[in-house]
């Protein structure tokens, strides 16, 4: 497992740090590291590792497979009635076999398929690799550090605009939100170590590391990001505090259920209030103001979206058809908008169900886990933040954010059922 563990760390660091720095090859390096980790895990995994993976993914491993499988099906030739209209137009002009793929651009969708396979593979590799608590701790520290670096880049750019200009703002916002939850988990790790009579100096050092990362991330998300992103981060923090209260007070199942139900109702009320602040399509209500003309273009594009979408990764390419000035790329205003346009209602529903089931599994895993409950708690909080943030911004479309979130969820799922 040493090679798989090394590949996992490389995938996190390379994809995150290089993309934060503005490099274009960070995603490719991260995907290569994920592939190396998958091969190393498959070669060295034992029966216990396989059984651990099955327990961790019993909540819905078929849904995880369905995501890349759905993208792959968009590449398969089908009758023109189901294919994207661009292929029907091509057939009318050039003739040939009356077949075409669902996607409007085979190359872009193939690239999206590679990213999806890498993300699902990295989740599985993480589940197996971090069975051991010491490895889980190091992965948590690496994740918290890389997300804090992204948040720091955003802070520096806002304070001194000449610095870190290459860092994408949407990526920095998403990573900052994840960084708050992860660094709160690091602080809980330090507190747990101090309680179990580990080295006090080391516990204090880890605690200060987590506190600094949390402060840097909080400044980025609450000081320099949109109000909806701040609300999404607030939901994640509230979930961490909810689990902490239930565990520390040792509440009965009935009391814990009532408290969780109250939190769920409160979340629904806040989200309803946010969605009612603006009119128009629900998918566009939480995104920043994009201008009247761009909003009208997006609404036409989304209204024409078919059940199976226009092809994963093709948002900007298809968007040119709807623009008066095709030289400017139409960027997705949010992750949910891009998923809907690319994969249709079916793809958006499958992704949403997979996230909700994983969130429920992580939440109950955190309540049932012992002293290591902060692992699944932080993963659940990150996933809740990602769910809300997916309607507020496009940061989760970045390969670095996708790979980091895959590792975070894998870490939480692994430690929610681990006994080592």
């Amino acid at each position: 497992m040493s090679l798989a563990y090394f590949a996992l760390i490389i995938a996190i660091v390379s994809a995150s740090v290089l993309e934060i720095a503005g490099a274009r090859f960070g995603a490719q390096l991260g995907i290569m590291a994920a592939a190396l980790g998958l091969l190393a895990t498959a070669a060295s995994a034992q029966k216990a590792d396989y059984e651990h993976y099955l327990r961790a993914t019993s909540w819905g491993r078929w849904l995880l497979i369905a995501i890349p499988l759905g993208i792959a099906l968009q590449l398969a030739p089908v009758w023109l009635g189901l294919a994207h209209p661009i292929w029907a137009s091509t057939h009318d002009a050039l003739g040939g076999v009356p077949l075409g793929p669902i996607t409007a651009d085979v190359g872009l969708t193939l690239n999206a398929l590679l990213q999806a396979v890498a993300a699902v593979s990295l989740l599985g590799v993480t589940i197996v690799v971090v069975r051991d608590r010491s490895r889980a701790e190091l992965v948590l520290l690496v994740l918290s550090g890389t997300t804090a670096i992204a948040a720091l880049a955003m802070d520096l750019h806002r304070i001194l605009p000449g610095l870190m200009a290459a860092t994408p703002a949407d990526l920095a916002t998403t990573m900052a939100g994840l960084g708050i939850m992860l660094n709160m988990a690091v602080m809980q790790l330090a507190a747990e170590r101090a309680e179990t009579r580990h080295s006090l100096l080391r516990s204090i050092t880890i605690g200060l590391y987590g506190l600094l990362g949390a402060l840097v991330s909080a400044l980025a998300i609450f000081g320099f990001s949109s109000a909806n992103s701040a609300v999404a981060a607030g939901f994640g923090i509230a979930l961490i505090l909810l689990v902490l209260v239930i565990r520390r007070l040792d509440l009965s199942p009935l009391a814990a259920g009532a408290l969780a139900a109250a939190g769920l109702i409160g979340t629904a009320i806040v989200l309803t209030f946010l969605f009612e602040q603006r009119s128009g399509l629900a998918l566009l209500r939480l995104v920043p103001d994009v201008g009247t003309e761009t909003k009208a273009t997006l609404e036409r594009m989304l209204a024409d979206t078919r059940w199976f979408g226009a092809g994963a990764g093709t948002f900007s390419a298809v968007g040119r058809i709807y623009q008066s000035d095709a030289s400017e790329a139409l960027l997705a205003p949010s992750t949910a908008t891009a998923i809907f346009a690319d994969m249709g209602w079916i793809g958006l529903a499958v992704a949403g169900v997979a996230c909700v089931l994983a969130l429920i599994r992580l939440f109950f895993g955190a309540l049932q886990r012992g002293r290591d409950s902060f692992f699944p708690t932080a993963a659940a909080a990150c996933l809740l933040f990602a769910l809300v943030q997916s309607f507020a911004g496009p940061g989760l479309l970045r390969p670095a954010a996708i790979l980091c979130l895959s590792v975070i969820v894998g870490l939480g799922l692994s430690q929610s059922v681990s006994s080592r």
Side-chain angles (χ1 to χ4, degrees):
M1 284 297 170
S2 297
L3 180 57
Y5 184 50
F6 174 74
L8 177 63
I9 299 297
I10 292 298
I12 299 171
V13 175
S14 62
S16 302
V17 175
L18 290 176
E19 194 160 355
I20 291 168
R24 295 181 178 274
F25 57 90
Q28 289 80 359
L29 190 57
I31 291 174
M32 290 173 60
L36 176 61
L38 181 62
L39 291 174
T41 302
S44 59
Q46 301 176 354
K47 182 180 179 181
D49 297 319
Y50 179 68
E51 292 174 348
H52 178 76
Y53 173 80
L54 292 180
R55 290 197 305 271
T57 58
S58 61
W59 54 274
R61 71 180 67 95
W62 300 114
L63 279 173
L64 295 176
I65 298 174
I67 295 173
L69 181 61
I71 299 175
L73 290 176
Q74 290 185 320
L75 296 167
V78 295
W79 292 109
L80 291 178
L82 295 176
H84 192 274
I86 192 174
W87 302 113
S89 301
T90 303
H91 177 266
D92 292 340
L94 303 177
V97 181
L99 298 174
I102 293 174
T103 177
D105 191 304
V106 174
L108 293 175
T109 301
L110 184 59
N111 182 61
L113 175 61
L114 291 177
Q115 291 188 27
V117 171
V120 174
S121 300
L122 204 57
L123 187 148
V125 170
T126 304
I127 289 174
V128 175
V129 168
V130 301
R131 284 182 61 201
D132 182 78
R133 188 178 192 269
S134 61
R135 288 182 174 178
E137 289 180 1
L138 183 56
V139 169
L140 175 62
L141 292 174
V142 172
L143 285 168
S144 62
T146 53
T147 52
I149 289 173
L152 180 61
M154 183 175 184
D155 294 338
L156 292 175
H157 179 65
R158 292 301 179 91
I159 295 173
L160 298 172
L163 293 177
M164 305 302 295
T167 303
D170 54 352
L171 173 64
T173 299
T174 300
M175 298 290 271
L178 299 176
I180 294 177
M181 322 306 165
L182 294 169
N183 282 284
M184 289 180 68
V186 170
M187 288 189 286
Q188 293 182 57
L189 167 63
E192 183 274 330
R193 280 191 167 188
E195 290 177 355
T196 52
R197 298 181 182 180
H198 281 74
S199 170
L200 183 59
L201 179 60
R202 189 176 182 184
S203 299
I204 292 174
T205 303
I206 294 175
L208 291 176
Y209 171 86
L211 178 60
L212 180 60
L215 291 176
V216 168
S217 300
L219 177 61
I221 201 75
F222 293 112
F224 302 129
S225 300
S226 66
N228 291 334
S229 296
V231 170
F235 285 147
I237 295 172
L239 180 60
I240 292 176
L241 296 178
L242 175 64
V243 174
L244 189 61
V245 167
I246 293 175
R247 289 185 53 79
R248 288 295 180 178
L249 297 182
D250 195 20
L251 298 180
S252 65
L254 182 60
L259 190 59
L264 184 61
I265 293 172
T267 301
I269 292 174
V270 173
L271 288 176
T272 302
F273 173 77
L274 291 176
F275 274 98
E276 289 181 348
Q277 293 301 298
R278 298 170 65 178
S279 59
L281 294 177
L283 289 174
L284 299 177
R285 292 189 181 184
L286 295 186
V287 301
D289 187 18
V290 294
T292 304
E293 183 178 350
T294 302
K295 183 179 179 181
T297 302
L298 289 169
E299 288 179 343
R300 291 196 304 271
M301 180 179 175
L302 296 177
D304 290 342
T305 297
R306 311 173 80 179
W307 278 99
F308 299 101
T314 64
F315 188 95
S316 295
V318 174
R320 292 192 179 94
I321 301 173
Y322 294 84
Q323 291 178 276
S324 57
D325 184 6
S327 63
E328 296 183 6
L330 181 65
L331 301 179
S334 69
T335 303
T337 302
I339 294 176
F340 173 73
D342 292 352
M343 301 292 294
W345 278 113
I346 294 178
L348 184 62
V350 170
V353 169
C355 288
V356 170
L357 288 178
L359 179 59
I360 294 172
R361 178 67 186 88
L362 289 167
F363 178 74
F364 285 104
L367 295 180
Q368 297 168 1
R369 195 74 167 94
R371 63 193 181 104
D372 297 334
S373 63
F374 52 86
F375 288 112
T377 300
C382 287
L383 196 53
L384 179 58
F385 165 77
L387 273 172
V388 180
Q389 179 65 15
S390 66
F391 289 89
L396 286 166
L397 296 174
R398 299 279 181 175
I402 295 172
L403 296 181
C404 280
L405 186 61
S406 297
V407 175
I408 291 169
V409 174
L411 174 64
L413 290 173
S414 182
Q415 283 297 309
S416 66
V417 297
S418 181
S419 57
R420 297 171 61 179

